[in-house]
Amino acid sequence: MVRTALAVAATADPRDVPVGAVVFDGSGRELARATNAREATGDPTAHAEVLALRRAAAIHGDGWRLTGTTLAVTLEPCTMCAGALVAARVDRLLFGAWEPKTGAVGSLWDVVRDRRLNHRPQVRGGILEAECAAILDDFFRARR
Ligand SMILES: [Zn+2]
């Protein structure tokens, strides 16, 4: 699933930081995919995870509740995206590279596993970490 997100990240608008997110249903079928698109859309909330959750909810058939789904993303989610996936009742989060500067799933904060929340998704980070970090490194190196 993270490998699929990695392929999606590679399709990001060249102006945008290449992050890819894919939502899968309980049987592993892809519901929706998105790239980070802040530059392309001029929308500060257009992170890959938020866009993928919106698209998945539109077709999932249970309104805004994405119960039973898995969100796979190439980079550790930020606070906004971590909050969004908890709000969406996503069951499982899989992510690739750690984001020590802004990560909210273990790096700076751990928003999704806060015991005060009544919904806490399962989490696995560091999947295909090197490959997920490499696509970001290449992007930032090319900008310097
Ligand atoms: Zn985010």
Side-chain angles (χ1 to χ4, degrees), residues 107-127:
S107 288
L108 276 192
W109 299 281
D110 197 349
V111 170
V112 303
R113 285 168 294 194
D114 190 311
R115 289 178 174 278
R116 293 166 293 186
L117 296 174
N118 60 10
H119 178 80
R120 295 192 295 273
Q122 290 178 43
V123 176
R124 221 176 113 198
I127 301 166

Side-chain angles (χ1 to χ4, degrees), residues 40-129:
T41 61
D43 174 359
T45 70
H47 285 190
E49 300 95 311
V50 167
L51 296 177
L53 291 171
R54 283 187 186 141
R55 289 172 190 165
I59 61 166
H60 184 51
D62 193 18
W64 56 268
R65 285 181 194 78
L66 292 172
T67 309
T69 61
T70 295
L71 173 67
V73 58
T74 53
L75 184 65
E76 181 183 359
C78 71
T79 43
M80 173 182 72
C81 295
L85 71 97
V86 169
R89 306 281 195 271
V90 167
D91 270 18
R92 191 164 60 140
L93 167 68
L94 308 173
F95 69 86
W98 296 90
E99 173 48 283
K101 291 202 277 287
T102 60
V105 188
S107 288
L108 276 192
W109 299 281
D110 197 349
V111 170
V112 303
R113 285 168 294 194
D114 190 311
R115 289 178 174 278
R116 293 166 293 186
L117 296 174
N118 60 10
H119 178 80
R120 295 192 295 273
Q122 290 178 43
V123 176
R124 221 176 113 198
I127 301 166
L128 301 178
E129 184 176 3

